[in-house]
């Protein structure tokens, strides 16, 4: 038996080669398209919260090319299909009928007069930049067919609308609509859309004063075709033909140029990974109103050579920016430096950090809302703070010190709280602009010695408002560190997550808001409480050293408004204060916002009720007879007991202090007395008529412990003093001040054991000590003495 074996027919070599060729061809067909068809850079676009264009910056390659938009207006769809590819909805990427007709027309004309390209093929040509020849035409047909297999007709039309050339450096329908008509494509008429639809076929037609007749003819033919198809009626076609043709490109809106630049920088730095067009939280109408207000105020400020003003409006609940005016925008005037985004620039904050310190001290139990703070001439390690009005109250409630923005009490408060602790709190609260260590700033931190941005400060104020808005839900605590900086784009970050562990409690923030609401308002706002429709606003101003920066930040339960005024160059100007320059703009912006009729509720459930000394504002002590019961922050139970009340022993007339050496015990009247230290008393009694000076000891009470009745106000012990030279080149004088508890008492002054002068009632002398270490000794008429040591620095130190 003979057997013969043959290979099956399907495994013949010829068929293997053919199968391999088919597989290779299919692979080449399938992978002929790149994964990303268009890789060209796009313009940077920001829209408002409703999708209205706020501003745009040209793409890095110099083209006005908006990012891909999947939505194609129906008018453009009808126009472009009618003009370019009437069987677009039905062919597989290649229209053989149109292609055959184009070949016949080209043969008859003797040159290329028609390409027969479908919209899909044009998408391929735009993406690949193929030169026009027969081979590339075939390749485009293959790639177009492949594109149709994995993309819908709507997707392909959107690719075309987003990338087609529309003349000059304008690419895409969105850019063309804004550049030629100044409106969104969805708002174009049939005549305007038809004019744009014919442009990609011959984009060179749009030039001022050139080819206008050709473009007009093409547009009108398209309108006639739409009427013949029944897409529009004859009247619409007739009226559309009467519409003017687009002229030279118009500028795009620039409602928020500094926010646009910030977004652009975020994209280029890799901080934002999404498309170069975002929908922000900005409200276009409010943004325009804020811009107008800043322009009006700048017109006045410019007379004083104050060139720059900026403002932000934040939503308290989300922290999102509703308006962002980084500066007035006059790019044509380079001297104004209006391109500088002041909202995000580190500047000296003046007094705007004082509310945070006040709230922190309440939270940590250092003070109660109305605890008396010293307000006397102060020198701490060579640092000599002064109040804005150069006056002193002696002692002032902490809440009033905040509402009046007094500098000396603020420094005293920070000295008690410790500046490293406050520095750490600011860092935890999201302040990132303090680049130096805490010791670099020292106590000057509370008076603007650091640097902060309007963006972060406004966000910190929004934090405080949010504490009160959410205290019931979050146990009265809020952690600012969990709150990222105010956002300007719709995203998950715009909804901060609150936590139960916080830096500030609701009670502390409530009293801070109450103090800030009591501030005297500028101009007509001084009588704001008389008008029921006027907003209740807690607000704070700030002025940096040298009159370089004016600040005003206001808070309601719903909004935070921050305003900065000054020169981007840092030049100071006389009169450049927060109250004079920034506050008026602040209140005008608030008038554009919905009136917040509800105010912050007292979070009584998160506070404790204690007895507070009426005179001192401290927790009532043993000798505080005049007390008030009030709710205070929970930390208030740890606050100090009143240090200013003491039990004194008087004779029956209560005109003299006595003791058992001069009066029998049953004749002594024991009485509680409010007594301030001599330096505080010296200034305090001049402004508080109800203050009663402690009576002196009766002369026959020789063994009485009278305490120290006098205090040297300036200089303090171990002070280092530099005495500047006068105009004639001679060293100037230092003015020394002292206070004595007993009116009419003489004080004898001695410098380095040498008698200098005698004073009575008004204790002030001028000294001219040489450089070096010195001892100043004061002796009063009763023999009480006081001694301080100080050093006068020479010019070279």
């Amino acid at each position: 038996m003979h057997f013969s074996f043959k290979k099956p027919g399907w495994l013949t070599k010829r068929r293997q080669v053919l199968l391999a060729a088919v597989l290779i061809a299919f692979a080449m067909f399938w992978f002929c398209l790149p994964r990303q068809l268009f890789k060209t850079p796009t313009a940077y676009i920001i829209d408002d919260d409703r999708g209205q264009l706020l501003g745009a910056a040209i793409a890095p390659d110099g083209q006005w090319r908006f990012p891909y938009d999947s939505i194609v207006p129906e008018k453009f769809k009808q126009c472009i299909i009618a003009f370019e590819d009437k069987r677009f909805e039905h062919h597989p990427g290649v229209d053989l009928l149109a292609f055959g007709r184009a070949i016949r027309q080209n043969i008859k004309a003797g040159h290329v007069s028609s390409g027969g390209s479908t919209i899909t093929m044009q998408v391929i040509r735009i993406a690949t930049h193929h030169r026009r020849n027969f081979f590339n035409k075939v390749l485009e047909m293959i790639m177009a067919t492949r594109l149709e297999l994995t993309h819908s007709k709507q997707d392909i039309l959107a690719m075309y609308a987003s990338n087609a050339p529309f003349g000059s450096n304008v690419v895409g329908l969105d850019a063309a609509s804004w550049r030629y008509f100044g409106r969104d494509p969805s708002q174009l008429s049939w005549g305007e859309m038809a004019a744009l639809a014919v442009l990609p076929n011959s984009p060179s037609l749009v030039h001022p004063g050139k080819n206008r007749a050709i473009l007009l003819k093409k547009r009108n033919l398209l309108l006639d075709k739409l009427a013949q198809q029944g897409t529009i009626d004859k009247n619409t076609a007739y009226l559309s033909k009467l519409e003017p043709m687009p002229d030279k490109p118009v500028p795009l809106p620039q409602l928020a140029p500094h926010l646009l630049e910030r977004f652009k920088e975020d994209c280029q730095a890799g901080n934002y990974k999404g498309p170069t067009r975002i929908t922000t939280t900005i409200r276009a109408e409010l943004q325009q109103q804020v811009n107008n207000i800043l322009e009006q105020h700048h017109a006045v400020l410019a007379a004083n050579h104050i060139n720059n003003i900026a403002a932000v409006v934040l939503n308290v609940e989300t922290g999102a920016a509703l308006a962002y005016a980084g500066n007035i925008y006059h790019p044509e005037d380079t001297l104004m430096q209006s391109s500088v985004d002041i909202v995000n620039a580190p500047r000296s904050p003046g007094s705007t950090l004082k509310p945070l310190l006040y709230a922190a001290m309440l939270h940590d139990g250092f003070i109660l809302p109305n605890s008396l703070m010293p307000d006397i001439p102060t020198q701490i390690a060579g640092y000599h703070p002064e109040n804005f009005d150069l006056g002193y109250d002696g002692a002032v409630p902490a809440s009033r010190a905040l509402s009046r923005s007094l500098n000396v009490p603020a420094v005293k408060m920070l000295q008690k709280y410790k500046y490293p602790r406050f520095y750490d709190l600011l860092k935890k609260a999201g302040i990132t602009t303090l680049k130096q260590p805490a010791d670099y700033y020292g106590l000057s931190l509370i008076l603007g010695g650091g640097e902060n941005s309007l963006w972060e400060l406004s966000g910190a104020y929004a934090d405080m408002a949010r504490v009160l808005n959410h205290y019931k839900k979050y146990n009265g605590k809020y952690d600012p560190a969990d709150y990222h900086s105010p956002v300007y784009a719709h995203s998950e970050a715009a909804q901060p997550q609150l936590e139960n562990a916080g830096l500030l409690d609701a009670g502390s923030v409530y009293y801070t808001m109450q103090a800030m609401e009591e501030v005297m308002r500028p101009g007509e706002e001084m009588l704001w409480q008389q008008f029921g429709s006027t907003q209740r606003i807690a607000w704070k101003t700030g002025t940096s050293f040298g009159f370089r920066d004016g600040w005003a930040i206001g808070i309601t339960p719903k909004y935070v408004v921050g305003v900065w005024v000054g020169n981007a160059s840092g030049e100071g100007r006389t009169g450049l204060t927060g109250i004079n320059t920034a506050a008026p703009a602040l209140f005008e912006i608030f008038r554009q916002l919905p009136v917040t009729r509800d105010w912050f509720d007292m979070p009584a459930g998160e506070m404790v009720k204690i007895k507070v000394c009426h005179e001192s504002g401290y927790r009532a002590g043993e000798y505080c007879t005049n007390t008030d019961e009030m709710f205070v922050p929970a930390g208030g139970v740890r606050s100090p007991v009143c240090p200013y009340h003491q039990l004194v022993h008087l004779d029956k007339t209560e005109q003299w202090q006595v003791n058992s050496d001069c009066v029998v015990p049953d004749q002594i009247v024991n009485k509680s007395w409010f007594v301030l230290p001599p330096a505080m008393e010296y200034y305090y009694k001049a402004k508080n008529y109800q203050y009663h000076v402690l009576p002196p000891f009766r002369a026959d009470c020789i063994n009485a412990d009278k305490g120290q009745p006098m205090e040297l106000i300036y200089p303090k012990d171990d002070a280092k003093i530099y005495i500047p030279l006068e105009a004639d080149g001679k060293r100037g004088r230092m003015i020394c001040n002292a206070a004595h508890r007993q009116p009419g008492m003489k004080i004898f002054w001695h410098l380095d054991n040498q008698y200098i002068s005698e004073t009575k009632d008004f204790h002030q002398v001028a000294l001219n000590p040489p450089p070096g270490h010195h001892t100043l000794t004061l002796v009063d008429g009763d023999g009480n003495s006081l001694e301080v040591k100080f050093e006068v620095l020479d010019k070279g130190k």
Side-chain angles (χ1 to χ4, degrees):
M1 184 179 292
H2 179 72
F3 296 94
S4 174
F5 294 94
K6 293 183 178 180
K7 292 182 180 180
W10 61 274
L11 288 177
T12 63
K13 189 173 182 179
R14 179 178 297 177
R15 291 185 177 181
Q16 288 179 351
V17 172
L18 181 61
L19 178 60
V22 170
L23 291 175
I24 292 173
F26 178 78
M28 292 177 64
F29 171 73
W30 191 258
F31 294 105
C32 67
L33 289 181
R35 180 172 298 180
Q36 183 179 349
L37 194 57
F38 292 95
K39 298 181 180 180
T40 48
T42 54
Y44 302 94
I45 315 294
I46 57 173
D47 297 322
D48 77 345
D49 60 339
R50 297 182 179 179
Q52 179 178 336
L53 185 66
L54 289 173
I58 200 166
D61 63 353
Q63 302 294 305
W64 281 111
R65 184 189 301 105
F66 281 31
Y68 171 78
D69 189 352
S70 61
I71 299 175
V72 180
E74 185 63 25
K75 289 179 182 177
F76 183 76
K77 177 181 177 180
Q78 297 295 338
C79 287
I80 201 65
I81 290 177
F83 185 73
E84 290 282 1
D85 190 357
K86 64 182 180 181
R87 284 180 286 274
F88 172 73
E89 299 282 3
H90 308 290
H91 63 63
V94 178
D95 188 345
L96 296 178
L97 292 177
F99 188 66
R101 184 186 67 251
I103 292 177
R104 290 195 305 271
Q105 291 177 351
N106 293 339
I107 293 174
K108 184 176 181 180
H111 58 85
V112 177
S113 61
S114 177
S117 295
T118 63
I119 291 176
T120 312
M121 292 171 64
Q122 291 184 51
V123 169
I124 297 297
R125 185 170 64 248
I126 295 170
T128 59
H129 302 287
H130 285 159
R131 297 181 62 182
R132 294 194 176 190
N133 56 46
F134 181 77
F135 173 79
N136 286 336
K137 179 69 70 173
V138 173
L139 183 58
E140 288 171 6
M141 295 170 70
I142 295 172
M143 296 175 72
T145 305
R146 166 64 183 84
L147 185 64
E148 292 269 356
L149 290 177
T150 53
H151 292 76
S152 68
K153 292 289 186 179
Q154 178 67 21
D155 290 341
I156 295 171
L157 200 58
M159 290 182 195
Y160 178 83
S162 297
N163 295 280
F166 282 82
S168 186
N169 64 342
V170 180
V171 177
L173 175 63
D174 284 348
S177 178
W178 280 104
R179 289 292 282 162
Y180 296 132
F181 297 107
R183 294 196 302 283
D184 188 82
S186 62
Q187 300 175 339
L188 297 185
S189 66
W190 280 105
E192 291 168 336
M193 193 64 83
L196 292 183
V198 302
L199 269 178
N201 183 265
S202 301
S204 62
L205 289 179
V206 175
H207 285 284
K210 181 181 179 181
N211 298 330
R212 316 303 297 160
I214 300 175
L215 180 59
L216 177 65
K217 181 179 180 181
K218 283 177 172 284
R219 183 200 68 174
N220 290 346
L221 288 174
L222 175 55
L223 290 170
D224 289 337
K225 184 180 290 187
L226 292 172
Q228 292 170 6
Q229 295 175 174
T231 304
I232 59 176
D233 56 49
K234 292 184 178 180
N235 286 335
T236 300
Y238 173 75
L239 294 174
S240 297
K241 291 179 181 179
L242 299 178
E243 295 181 17
M245 297 300 295
D247 201 349
K248 60 182 180 180
V250 298
L252 273 66
Q254 290 292 347
L255 287 179
H258 301 91
L259 181 61
L260 172 64
E261 186 63 24
R262 179 171 178 175
F263 171 61
K264 178 181 176 181
E265 291 175 357
D266 283 346
C267 290
Q268 294 175 342
N271 298 328
Y272 181 80
K273 303 293 185 181
T276 59
R277 182 170 193 167
I278 61 166
T279 298
T280 69
T281 56
I282 301 298
R283 298 176 184 173
E285 183 178 358
L286 177 62
Q287 178 73 26
Q288 185 63 68
Q289 291 170 337
V290 170
N291 289 345
N292 292 341
I293 289 171
L294 298 191
E295 285 288 351
Q296 293 166 6
H297 283 267
H298 174 259
V300 177
L301 295 169
N304 190 26
H305 299 286
I306 300 173
N307 294 326
N308 307 105
I309 181 170
V312 290
V313 179
L314 303 182
N315 180 305
V316 164
E317 188 65 22
T318 64
L322 306 180
Y324 187 113
N327 207 333
I328 54 160
Y329 194 58
H330 294 252
E332 72 285 353
D333 189 348
T334 56
L335 295 178
M336 288 178 57
Q337 296 183 287
S338 63
S339 62
V340 177
D341 182 4
I342 299 295
V343 168
N344 210 32
R347 306 288 300 198
S348 170
S351 298
T352 55
L353 294 179
K354 289 177 181 176
L356 290 170
L357 175 62
Y358 179 77
M361 294 189 73
L362 289 173
H363 175 79
D364 291 339
F366 282 85
I367 59 171
L368 295 181
N370 298 312
S371 295
L372 283 181
M373 293 291 107
D375 184 24
I376 58 177
T378 300
Q379 187 175 46
I380 305 170
Y383 181 54
H384 183 57
E386 292 183 327
N387 294 325
F388 189 80
D389 60 3
L390 302 181
Y392 302 96
D393 283 11
V396 63
S399 59
R400 195 175 303 164
L402 175 59
S403 65
R404 291 176 54 194
S405 195
L406 297 176
N407 291 338
V408 174
V411 172
K412 290 286 190 180
M413 290 166 69
L414 184 58
Q415 185 183 25
K416 180 182 294 188
Y417 190 74
K418 305 301 181 186
Y419 65 79
R421 181 202 296 261
F422 186 56
Y423 177 89
D424 186 55
L425 180 140
L426 294 176
K427 288 287 189 178
K428 291 179 179 178
I431 302 297
T432 65
T433 49
L434 297 173
K435 302 301 184 182
Q436 303 296 331
D439 289 339
Y440 178 84
Y441 304 108
L443 294 174
S444 70
L445 185 63
I446 197 59
L447 301 184
E451 51 279 333
N452 300 98
S453 69
L454 185 62
W455 182 255
E456 290 185 347
L457 273 180
S458 299
Y461 276 60
D463 280 340
M464 291 196 292
R466 196 176 300 105
V467 171
L468 289 176
N469 287 346
H470 291 276
Y471 79 91
K472 293 179 181 178
K473 185 176 180 180
Y474 298 98
N475 300 325
K477 296 180 179 179
Y478 175 73
D479 186 358
D482 187 60
Y483 168 64
H484 309 291
S485 62
V487 295
Y488 55 82
H490 287 297
S491 67
E492 293 181 1
Q495 302 294 333
Q497 299 298 315
L498 306 182
E499 295 182 351
N500 290 338
L503 296 174
L504 302 174
D505 64 278
S508 300
V509 175
Y510 174 77
Y511 278 111
T512 303
M513 296 295 179
Q514 293 298 99
M516 293 170 65
E517 191 191 5
E518 294 176 2
V519 178
M520 186 71 73
R521 300 188 179 190
E524 63 186 38
E525 298 288 347
M526 292 178 66
L527 303 177
W528 69 279
Q529 289 177 316
Q530 298 181 17
F531 301 94
S533 62
T534 302
Q535 294 247 41
R536 294 183 66 180
I537 302 170
W539 61 291
K540 185 72 186 72
T541 62
T543 303
S544 68
F545 179 77
F547 302 102
R548 293 180 174 88
D549 307 89
W551 301 74
I553 304 179
I555 313 172
T556 70
K558 293 185 178 180
Y559 305 105
V560 169
V561 176
V563 177
W564 175 93
V565 175
N567 287 308
S569 63
E571 178 188 359
R573 298 298 302 173
T574 302
L576 202 170
T577 65
I579 193 70
N580 291 333
T581 61
L586 173 89
F587 288 105
E588 194 164 344
I589 292 173
F590 264 115
R591 283 193 283 269
Q592 311 307 314
L593 297 171
V595 174
T596 306
R597 299 193 180 276
D598 296 330
W599 191 243
F600 300 107
D601 295 328
M602 173 185 278
E606 308 299 329
M607 297 195 286
V608 294
K609 181 177 281 189
I610 64 172
K611 287 187 176 181
V612 177
C613 178
H614 183 79
E615 285 87 357
S616 71
Y618 282 85
R619 190 157 55 93
E622 179 182 1
Y623 301 119
C624 293
T625 57
N626 185 10
T627 62
D628 302 309
E629 278 197 332
M630 66 180 295
F631 284 102
V632 300
V637 297
R638 306 188 302 271
S639 64
V641 173
C642 174
Y644 300 127
H645 274 87
Q646 64 186 52
L647 188 66
V648 297
H649 310 296
L650 308 172
D651 66 358
K652 285 188 175 182
T653 67
E654 298 187 7
Q655 300 297 313
W656 303 95
Q657 290 190 68
V658 295
N659 57 26
S660 58
D661 290 336
C662 53
V663 176
V664 294
D666 61 354
Q667 299 294 315
I668 294 177
V669 177
N670 298 315
K671 190 172 185 178
S672 172
W673 206 282
F674 176 53
V675 184
L676 293 174
M680 293 172 62
E681 181 183 86
Y682 175 77
Y683 292 97
Y684 186 81
K685 66 183 180 182
K687 296 189 177 183
N688 295 271
Y689 67 90
Q690 74 278 13
Y691 180 78
H692 298 292
V693 177
L694 190 65
F697 274 89
R698 210 166 69 182
D700 56 340
C701 298
I702 57 176
N703 294 323
D705 181 11
K706 302 177 181 179
Q708 180 55 269
M710 60 179 167
E711 182 178 349
L712 194 61
I713 299 174
Y714 182 84
K716 294 296 185 181
D717 202 28
D718 294 327
K720 295 182 183 298
I721 301 169
Y722 173 69
I723 303 175
L725 300 179
E726 300 289 353
D728 58 3
K730 297 180 180 179
R731 185 177 296 275
R733 293 171 175 261
M734 58 179 289
I735 307 300
C736 302
N737 290 278
H740 201 287
R741 194 181 303 282
Q742 186 175 340
M745 178 62 70
K746 293 181 179 181
I747 293 181
F748 303 93
W749 299 71
H750 303 78
L751 180 65
D752 299 329
N753 295 321
Q754 296 293 321
Y755 173 75
I756 298 296
S757 179
E758 170 190 324
T759 58
K760 182 179 180 180
D761 292 325
F762 186 67
H763 303 293
Q764 185 178 93
V765 296
L767 302 178
N768 186 17
H773 293 274
H774 300 277
T775 300
L776 184 63
T777 305
L778 280 65
V779 181
D780 70 6
D782 288 340
N784 299 299
S785 65
L786 178 66
E787 181 179 279
V788 298
K789 297 182 182 297
F790 64 93
E791 180 185 2
V792 175
L793 303 176
D794 64 23
K795 184 178 180 181
K797 291 187 178 181

